[in-house]
Amino acid sequence: MTRGAIRAAWSSRLMRIELLPSSIPAADTQYLVSFLVNDAVVIDAGAIGLLADLERQQRIRHVFLTHEHLDHIASLPIFLENVYSPGPDCVEVLAAADVLEFLHGDVFNGRVWPDFLQLSSPENAFLRTTVLESMVPVQRAGLTVTPVPVSHGVDTLGLVVDDGVSAVAFPSDTGPTEDLWRHLATIPHLRAVFLEASFPSTHSDLATLTGHLSTRTFGAEVAKLPAGVRTIVVHRKARFAAQIAREIDELGLPGVEMVQPGKVYLF
Ligand SMILES: [Zn+2]
Ligand SMILES: [Zn+2]
């Protein structure tokens, strides 16, 4: 076996995570949220329906939604349209009960988009839905996904994804929070957290008001993590992205890096 083949075999067993780019042409500027995990599961549907490779979209069978905000669901209708094929085999959308209700009433309501839920039958379905309950793990595609409530402007579930060897946390949108960090402290194989930093210090009041982190509160959240866990910064508001990166750099926190959209992270 060549070195390259050994590396390929080994990396195929690692958890693969990619934050899909959401600007055109693809750049570090990030507007929408979709994390692809092992090309089989996606966390949030902000950008998934815009992926140029349609076959890659079709391989995704499970869509987890953390909350109903548009940057996390924007391309879900497009995605479901893209991957539909007649028959009983369809995509599963997993979210809290109220998020599934909002999707039906506000998006798949026969006006904004066809009512894919009403149009679906067991023999021929656009999607099926599964209710996520706080702190109740679900198993999908070889991964255990545990929803943990966080502290955003609307009810939001952070997600912890575990393949038995590595665990990675996706807190989604949140301000300062507690339950998630307490839960993560119990996972010895936690490798990384994709943590938001939406606002710079100049807008910390707005961050507090809307349930986000600013560079004023970010450091205290990172300090609640066990040592040695990578913190990958996501969800910088595009117009403040450079300022946020500069201010986080000035905090001098160990193990903190800016996310690179389109990069494949292996854990
Ligand atoms: Zn949000
Ligand atoms: Zn968001």
Side-chain angles (χ1 to χ4, degrees):
M1 230 185 194
T2 64
R3 239 177 214 202
I6 292 169
R7 206 178 301 128
W10 176 244
S11 69
S12 71
R13 293 213 302 267
L14 297 174
M15 201 193 309
R16 296 164 54 86
I17 296 172
E18 178 183 348
L19 173 65
L20 294 181
S22 64
S23 47
I24 302 166
D28 279 355
T29 319
Q30 194 69 22
Y31 303 114
L32 304 168
V33 181
S34 282
F35 292 97
L36 207 44
V37 184
N38 291 348
D39 268 5
V41 163
V42 71
I43 294 178
D44 285 331
I48 188 62
L50 310 177
L51 198 55
D53 184 343
L54 195 54
E55 282 179 18
R56 228 177 145 203
Q57 289 195 39
Q58 285 161 342
R59 283 199 291 275
I60 296 159
R61 306 316 289 161
H62 312 282
V63 180
F64 287 82
L65 301 176
T66 60
H67 65 303
E68 66 270 27
H69 280 160
L70 201 63
D71 51 329
H72 300 254
I73 65 160
S75 75
L76 181 65
I78 312 296
F79 168 73
L80 292 175
E81 167 69 33
N82 290 346
V83 302
Y84 168 73
S85 69
D89 186 31
C90 67
V91 165
E92 178 188 28
V93 175
L94 305 96
D98 58 348
V99 174
L100 294 175
E101 253 172 58
F102 299 146
L103 282 177
H104 200 182
D106 300 337
V107 181
F108 300 101
N109 56 11
R111 294 185 301 276
V112 173
W113 206 247
D115 186 345
F116 278 174
L117 288 150
Q118 200 185 29
L119 291 170
S120 294
S121 66
E123 301 78 40
N124 188 10
F126 284 89
L127 75 157
R128 64 198 159 90
T129 57
T130 299
V131 173
L132 287 181
E133 306 277 1
S134 174
M135 299 308 294
V136 179
V138 296
Q139 268 85 32
R140 295 292 185 277
L143 302 165
T144 301
V145 181
T146 305
V148 186
V150 291
S151 309
H152 189 33
V154 298
D155 287 349
T156 297
L157 292 171
L159 299 171
V160 183
V161 179
D162 193 333
D163 68 0
V165 176
S166 298
V168 175
F170 301 87
S172 188
D173 293 3
T174 187
T177 195
E178 294 300 336
D179 289 359
L180 179 69
W181 307 128
R182 259 197 299 275
H183 178 70
L184 294 183
T186 67
I187 306 174
H189 53 292
L190 178 69
R191 308 284 181 230
V193 177
F194 286 83
L195 184 60
E196 76 130 277
S198 293
F199 290 102
S201 56
T202 45
H203 291 65
S204 57
D205 289 352
L206 186 56
T208 303
L209 197 67
T210 53
H212 285 292
L213 295 176
S214 74
T215 52
R216 284 225 178 125
T217 48
F218 181 82
E221 296 308 293
V222 173
K224 297 174 189 171
L225 271 171
V229 174
R230 276 169 83 180
T231 303
I232 302 168
V233 180
V234 296
H235 210 276
R236 285 176 292 154
K237 296 276 182 196
R239 62 194 184 280
F240 304 122
Q243 188 184 349
I244 294 166
R246 200 168 51 244
E247 290 181 358
I248 287 180
D249 190 46
E250 284 164 7
L251 293 173
L253 302 165
V256 175
E257 61 199 276
M258 296 299 126
V259 77
Q260 286 177 255
K263 172 180 167 169
V264 175
Y265 292 84
L266 297 173
F267 298 100

